[in-house]
Amino acid sequence: MENKKITSALISVFDKSNLKPLIKELVHNDVTLYSTGGTKNFIQDLGYEVLAVEDLTGYPSILGGRVKTLHPKIFGGILKRSNNENDSIEMEKFQIPSFDLVVVDLYPFEKTVAENASETDIIEKIDIGGIALIRAAAKNFNNVFCISDKDDYANFISLYKKSKGAPSLKERKEYSIKAFHISSNYDTAIFNHFNKDQNRLKLSISNAKVLRYGENPHQKGYFYGSFSDLLDQINGKEISYNNLLDIDSAINLMLEFYQGSPAFGIFKHNNACGFAVRDKLNEAFLASLDGDPISAFGGVLISNKIIDLITATEINKLFFEVLIAPGYDSKALELLKVKKNRIILVQKENSQSNQVLRSCLNGILVQDKDLKTDKKNDLKYVTKKSPLPNETEDLLFASKICKHTKSNTIVLAKNKQLIGSGTGQTSRVDALNQAIKKAKNFGFDLKNAVMASDAFFPFPDCVEIANSEGINSVIQPGGSIKDNLSVDYCDANEMSMVLTGIRHFKH
């Protein structure tokens, strides 16, 4: 049936928001209303007539409200096929009314879990009748219109008026698809709350955004997630696929520095090309820019402090794609917003998922996120010479950046400034040579700089090269059967080395 006039509606919702205009529209068009419990009382309080489900089924709401609508006279009215003669005979025989519209939402299970409610309260928020009503109505979209989201009431009223009370089959099917999306997302949330078996994985993300394109213009791209839970966009063009990857990398690294002194980072292709910590934010920005002023062009910028006017004035001289900060002074924001395409983001929360997922072959790889930050107490001093206090600070600074840089990587730092990095190289020697070349290209003196590696040195070649350039302190995980070769070389050349015992590969 292409267009089907709505003459009767079953309405049973937990959340009564936005419901009044819908009820008013249905009553205005002489639609017979059926309802139960709180929704029935809501409709009656509006002054409208409504038939009680209990009167139809002959059963009251029982078991503390757990059973209200689970009855053949309800589900028969939803699942009846208008083109099936036997269905019509049975409907008449058992005096079952037809429902043309079903308006149902679900108990707020995810919200209850997020509130750290008791196990008893969480279980009581597992909807039984509601989920069954939604699935039944969505299944029978040929005959029934299903509304499962209060945010759709206004849209429904609009199409209801345009169709003169008889929505099309296409419209009924579109709403049924959303209903199945809501029901599957709900079941997944319940499963994931109770599931402790890591051999089973279920994903369901209710928010999706179509991006301009994927990594390249010929690829389609989508973002599934709640971007607005973490960030507010207050200026700029639409965020791209590549922007999102850089934003993710920037936020993950800055989490290592969020509570400390002013820090500023500049990112390109998911790696930090500039990063520095200083006593003042504008000094941190300038130092990060000095690290690689060429790569900074068109980059993603991030600060761990509110952007003030002095810092904004310096930032404004640079062409960049994205700026992320916990806030902005009013005059700083006014200046930065002069360029309308600049993406300016306010970071609202620091929390993110504790898991990392990525597609692989015909499946998904899942791992715990690398939440281990190398700290002073973790260091094992393996050389005769120990790093000086300022060198230890630089070593830990470099180690944090190294952890968030593509492997194989070597990071060079001095005075809490990234001065060179080798990223994504197939050998650690190549990574070191790349880092040294970058540092020299931008005029940095490597004497008394420090070196961080994401994995162990199988041979002493890297410390040999580092020593020849004036680098005198090294931090690395250790774990090679030939660790002693690098340690012995450091001892012979008055270099210091510390081991963390933790590898930080990032692929």
Side-chain angles (χ1 to χ4, degrees), residues 276-278 390 394 397 413-418 448:
V277 173
R278 292 291 184 267
N390 66 301
D394 277 349
F397 170 87
K414 187 175 180 179
N415 299 325
K416 295 182 183 177
Q417 180 185 22
L418 172 62
N448 297 325

Side-chain angles (χ1 to χ4, degrees), residues 185-323:
N185 186 70
Y186 192 78
D187 285 338
T188 299
I190 295 169
F191 170 81
N192 286 335
H193 173 70
F194 290 105
N195 177 47
K196 305 301 179 186
D197 185 350
Q198 297 304 314
N199 290 320
R200 298 178 293 194
L201 173 69
K202 294 188 187 298
L203 299 174
S204 181
I205 303 174
S206 57
N207 298 318
K209 178 178 176 58
V210 179
L211 304 174
R212 284 177 288 163
Y213 51 80
E215 204 161 4
N216 300 292
H218 64 278
Q219 297 170 269
K220 293 181 179 179
Y222 309 88
F223 174 71
Y224 295 91
S226 299
F227 183 85
S228 60
D229 287 351
L230 297 177
L231 298 153
D232 278 334
Q233 182 174 355
I234 57 177
N235 191 72
K237 61 186 178 181
E238 185 179 346
I239 296 173
S240 72
Y241 182 99
N242 292 326
N243 288 154
L244 287 167
L245 290 176
D246 281 328
I247 290 167
D248 179 68
S249 297
I251 288 175
N252 279 319
L253 174 52
M254 190 56 81
L255 284 174
E256 308 276 0
F257 297 89
Y258 205 82
Q259 298 299 328
S261 300
F264 207 101
I266 304 174
F267 285 74
K268 207 67 174 293
H269 296 289
N270 312 150
N271 293 305
C273 59
F275 204 95
V277 173
R278 292 291 184 267
D279 292 332
K280 295 180 180 180
L281 187 60
N282 67 304
E283 294 174 355
F285 166 70
L286 292 173
S288 67
L289 181 61
D290 286 343
D292 187 345
I294 295 176
S295 296
F297 183 84
V300 169
L301 283 53
I302 187 166
S303 167
N304 68 343
K305 304 297 180 186
I306 293 172
I307 303 292
D308 54 39
L309 180 59
I310 296 174
T311 306
T313 301
E314 295 297 337
I315 293 173
N316 194 52
K317 299 174 184 177
L318 175 70
F319 169 74
F320 62 90
E321 285 272 332
V322 182
L323 175 59

Side-chain angles (χ1 to χ4, degrees), residues 15 28 269 336 348 424 426:
D15 187 346
H28 178 72
H269 296 289
L336 293 167
K348 297 190 291 188
T426 52

Side-chain angles (χ1 to χ4, degrees), residues 84-91:
N84 187 295
E85 185 177 351
N86 287 334
D87 283 6
S88 298
I89 292 172
E90 289 183 342
M91 294 284 284

Side-chain angles (χ1 to χ4, degrees), residues 32-282:
T32 302
L33 304 182
Y34 294 83
S35 191
T36 183
T39 308
K40 177 176 70 69
N41 295 335
F42 178 85
I43 296 171
Q44 288 175 333
D45 290 342
L46 293 175
Y48 300 127
E49 184 178 345
V50 57
L51 300 177
V53 165
E54 292 89 338
D55 294 339
L56 175 62
T57 63
Y59 281 89
S61 174
I62 62 173
L63 305 182
R66 282 189 165 195
V67 181
K68 295 189 285 265
T69 56
L70 296 169
H71 193 280
K73 282 197 172 183
I74 300 300
F75 284 88
I78 297 172
L79 292 166
K80 182 248 182 179
R81 294 160 290 189
S82 58
N83 61 351
N84 187 295
E85 185 177 351
N86 287 334
D87 283 6
S88 298
I89 292 172
E90 289 183 342
M91 294 284 284
E92 184 176 351
K93 177 180 178 180
F94 296 108
Q95 298 181 315
I96 300 174
S98 294
F99 299 117
D100 307 311
L101 171 66
V102 172
V103 183
V104 177
D105 67 1
L106 299 170
Y107 291 160
F109 177 83
E110 290 178 277
K111 180 174 181 289
T112 305
V113 170
E115 292 172 347
N116 295 316
S118 68
E119 189 82 337
T120 299
D121 288 340
I122 289 172
I123 290 172
E124 288 307 312
K125 287 300 183 290
I126 299 176
D127 208 315
I128 303 300
I131 202 82
L133 291 169
I134 287 174
R135 287 178 63 83
K139 173 181 178 177
N140 200 23
F141 63 83
N142 280 310
N143 300 279
V144 179
F145 200 110
C146 179
I147 306 176
S148 53
D149 186 343
K150 63 183 176 63
D151 292 335
D152 287 334
Y153 294 166
N155 289 334
F156 171 79
I157 291 171
S158 177
L159 72 85
Y160 180 75
K161 289 179 177 179
K162 288 180 181 178
S163 66
K164 298 181 179 179
S168 69
L169 175 60
K170 180 183 178 182
E171 290 164 339
R172 295 196 299 274
K173 191 170 185 177
E174 286 176 352
Y175 273 69
S176 76
I177 292 171
K178 179 165 186 180
F180 282 125
H181 170 67
I182 287 175
S183 65
S184 63
N185 186 70
Y186 192 78
D187 285 338
T188 299
I190 295 169
F191 170 81
N192 286 335
H193 173 70
F194 290 105
N195 177 47
K196 305 301 179 186
D197 185 350
Q198 297 304 314
N199 290 320
R200 298 178 293 194
L201 173 69
K202 294 188 187 298
L203 299 174
S204 181
I205 303 174
S206 57
N207 298 318
K209 178 178 176 58
V210 179
L211 304 174
R212 284 177 288 163
Y213 51 80
E215 204 161 4
N216 300 292
H218 64 278
Q219 297 170 269
K220 293 181 179 179
Y222 309 88
F223 174 71
Y224 295 91
S226 299
F227 183 85
S228 60
D229 287 351
L230 297 177
L231 298 153
D232 278 334
Q233 182 174 355
I234 57 177
N235 191 72
K237 61 186 178 181
E238 185 179 346
I239 296 173
S240 72
Y241 182 99
N242 292 326
N243 288 154
L244 287 167
L245 290 176
D246 281 328
I247 290 167
D248 179 68
S249 297
I251 288 175
N252 279 319
L253 174 52
M254 190 56 81
L255 284 174
E256 308 276 0
F257 297 89
Y258 205 82
Q259 298 299 328
S261 300
F264 207 101
I266 304 174
F267 285 74
K268 207 67 174 293
H269 296 289
N270 312 150
N271 293 305
C273 59
F275 204 95
V277 173
R278 292 291 184 267
D279 292 332
K280 295 180 180 180
L281 187 60
N282 67 304

